[in-house]
Amino acid sequence: MRFLERLEPLLWALFSAGGTIAALLLPVHVFLNNIAMPLGWFRPDDYDYTHAARLLGHPLVKAYLAVFLVPTLFHAAHRIKLLPHELVLPPSPGIATPIAYLIAAALAIAAVVVIVLAP
Amino acid sequence: MANDDIILRVERYDPERGPRPYAQSYRVPVRKGMMVLDALNYVRDELDSSLAFRWSCRMGICGSCGMMVNGMPKLTCQDPVDRYRVRAIRIAALDHFPVIRDLVSDISDFMEKLPNIQPWITRTEEKPLSAGEYLQTPEERALYANHAACINCMLCYAACPVYGLDERFLGPAAIALAHRYNLDSRDQGEALRAPYLSLSHSVWECTFVGECSEVCPKHVMPAESIQREKLRLALRWLLPRAAFRRRP
Ligand code: SF4
Ligand code: FES
């Protein structure tokens, strides 16, 4: 836990950045993917596989996705740590926090690998 | 019962009488402009001299008269009785602190934490006396002025759910005070305060509920200072040391 304590400033920075990014960008993605697309507001070939794959090939899109996903995952881990506080329950058992961060780190690495390797 | 009487329902505790708190009610005639503290003083002077509570200045300066009034932390000398449009007002010692007796709380936890944030102007290089005093412009003073208004009344600790769950949390007023000195143009102690402020139970524990700023009678805005200290500490961690020039 001493190790986590040393990382607190970094973890909070990721939490804070992730919160801002999630608040600003998630609604846009929810709108695009979950409202606009199902309602057919785009032409089908705007979002078919080849088009999406070509988009993902662009370095700027890769960078955007990494910046979008990594802090958001750490934001989620931090939220899990704070959940008992926010529900006015006793603090979560010490082990829950490192597990949440480990999962976030694993998912972040997986996301970055997928983004980098994508066509 | 006279029409303008009010009932004070006081949560009392006397360790010599037993381990459990008990409620006692007093009927107090309301005078114009009466504060909750005036009502308590009426009780002590006229009805029951055994009731224990703290106060001193009666003008919102000493910070000793904080209590829970109808469940909210209040400076009782600044809390008009006629704000409460009910017959009975509940009064208890501040939440989240051990009670010494009746309405007197034990705030030694705060007093023990306080020196760790070095709440005084810290210089790493002293100017010689001949160079004169450390001057400050009105703008430089305005940067920290509202954070310097804290009277250590502990209302913010009584309002903070995080402190209520885990008293290891450094808490609002202490962090606001650290922030106040970090903002002071005459101070050079930020680097000395940083290690203590970075501990898990210091700033990071705050979940920005904001109740502390809500109840603070002096508009110290502890919630905001905690978030600002988090940002300063995070930048301090992330950026190279050279980014933090020492103040002259
Ligand atoms: S910050 Fe405000 S509420 Fe807290 S102790 Fe200081 S004056 Fe009281
Ligand atoms: S008696 Fe001094 S602040 Fe209330």
Side-chain angles (χ1 to χ4, degrees):
Chain A
M1 297 312 127
R2 297 260 349 136
F3 173 66
L4 268 190
E5 179 148 3
R6 289 240 301 284
L7 288 183
E8 287 273 17
L10 173 69
L11 294 173
W12 180 83
L14 283 167
F15 161 74
S16 168
T20 313
I21 290 171
L24 290 177
L25 297 182
L26 262 185
V28 178
H29 285 275
V30 168
F31 173 77
L32 291 178
N33 294 328
N34 301 28
I35 298 176
M37 279 185 198
L39 288 180
W41 292 354
F42 299 139
R43 281 172 298 131
D45 45 338
D46 280 342
Y47 53 93
D48 67 359
Y49 177 78
T50 37
H51 184 79
R54 215 176 47 240
L55 256 184
L56 198 50
H58 197 286
L60 271 182
V61 176
K62 284 182 194 288
Y64 167 77
L65 283 178
V67 168
F68 176 43
L69 288 174
V70 173
T72 312
L73 283 165
F74 279 94
H75 179 84
H78 203 85
R79 275 264 161 252
I80 289 172
K81 166 182 157 184
L82 297 182
L83 203 58
H85 267 173
E86 279 161 7
L87 300 176
V88 202
L89 299 170
S92 52
I95 192 71
T97 307
I99 290 179
Y101 282 129
L102 270 181
I103 295 175
L107 289 176
I109 293 171
V112 170
V113 168
V114 170
I115 291 167
V116 171
L117 294 185
Chain B
M1 171 167 162
N3 233 3
D4 42 3
D5 279 2
I6 194 159
I7 306 291
L8 296 190
R9 242 183 101 73
V10 181
E11 185 170 307
R12 303 198 59 185
Y13 166 69
D14 179 356
E16 281 158 27
R17 194 184 134 131
R20 299 174 74 84
Y22 58 100
Q24 191 164 350
S25 296
Y26 303 98
R27 179 183 301 172
V28 177
V30 175
R31 278 185 286 103
K32 199 169 171 312
M34 187 181 230
M35 301 290 164
V36 173
L37 180 67
D38 301 327
L40 285 169
N41 270 324
Y42 177 89
V43 172
R44 187 155 64 180
D45 294 344
E46 309 290 337
L47 307 174
D48 182 351
S49 61
S50 74
L51 183 65
F53 54 96
R54 282 197 187 113
W55 61 280
S56 173
C57 69
R58 292 201 298 176
M59 50 199 294
I61 294 197
C62 71
S64 57
C65 66
M67 296 168 208
M68 305 302 290
V69 184
N70 273 358
M72 288 295 287
K74 292 280 181 193
L75 266 193
T76 49
C77 70
Q78 304 293 298
D79 196 22
V81 167
D82 57 18
R83 258 191 74 230
Y84 300 92
R85 300 182 187 286
V86 283
R87 260 292 145 83
I89 303 180
R90 285 175 290 121
I91 304 182
L94 281 180
D95 273 357
H96 305 156
F97 290 101
V99 177
I100 297 174
R101 203 188 139 128
D102 294 342
L103 301 169
V104 180
S105 343
D106 174 3
I107 61 162
S108 17
D109 177 56
F110 170 74
M111 298 310 286
E112 279 155 24
K113 285 171 180 158
L114 198 53
N116 293 309
I117 55 132
Q118 313 194 28
W120 48 78
I121 290 189
T122 300
R123 301 282 310 177
T124 45
E125 303 140 17
E126 291 287 353
K127 283 198 301 192
L129 263 187
S130 54
E133 58 275 71
Y134 295 104
L135 293 176
Q136 192 164 56
T137 66
E139 293 73 36
E140 285 168 335
R141 203 192 103 80
L143 270 184
Y144 66 83
N146 66 323
H147 303 302
C150 176
I151 55 173
N152 297 354
C153 64
M154 301 292 103
L155 300 195
C156 50
Y157 283 74
C160 173
V162 176
Y163 184 67
L165 286 168
D166 189 344
E167 61 168 31
R168 285 173 298 175
F169 176 41
L170 177 54
I175 301 173
L177 211 53
H179 187 55
R180 172 248 177 277
Y181 283 97
N182 283 345
L183 288 180
D184 193 314
S185 61
R186 299 161 298 178
D187 182 86
Q188 296 175 324
E190 182 172 355
L192 297 172
R193 289 182 197 104
Y196 186 77
L197 284 178
S198 302
L199 297 178
S200 285
H201 290 287
S202 300
V203 295
W204 314 112
E205 208 68 0
C206 165
T207 58
F208 204 2
V209 175
E211 272 303 296
C212 50
S213 292
E214 210 58 49
V215 301
C216 174
K218 293 287 158 185
H219 311 293
V220 170
M221 302 205 294
E224 290 72 7
S225 4
I226 300 173
Q227 310 321 308
R228 295 220 180 92
E229 278 308 311
K230 284 181 186 169
L231 188 59
R232 290 168 87 98
L233 290 163
L235 291 177
R236 186 168 265 284
W237 198 93
L238 293 169
L239 301 179
R241 196 152 280 193
F244 299 91
R245 269 200 319 123
R246 242 206 252 112
R247 290 196 182 106

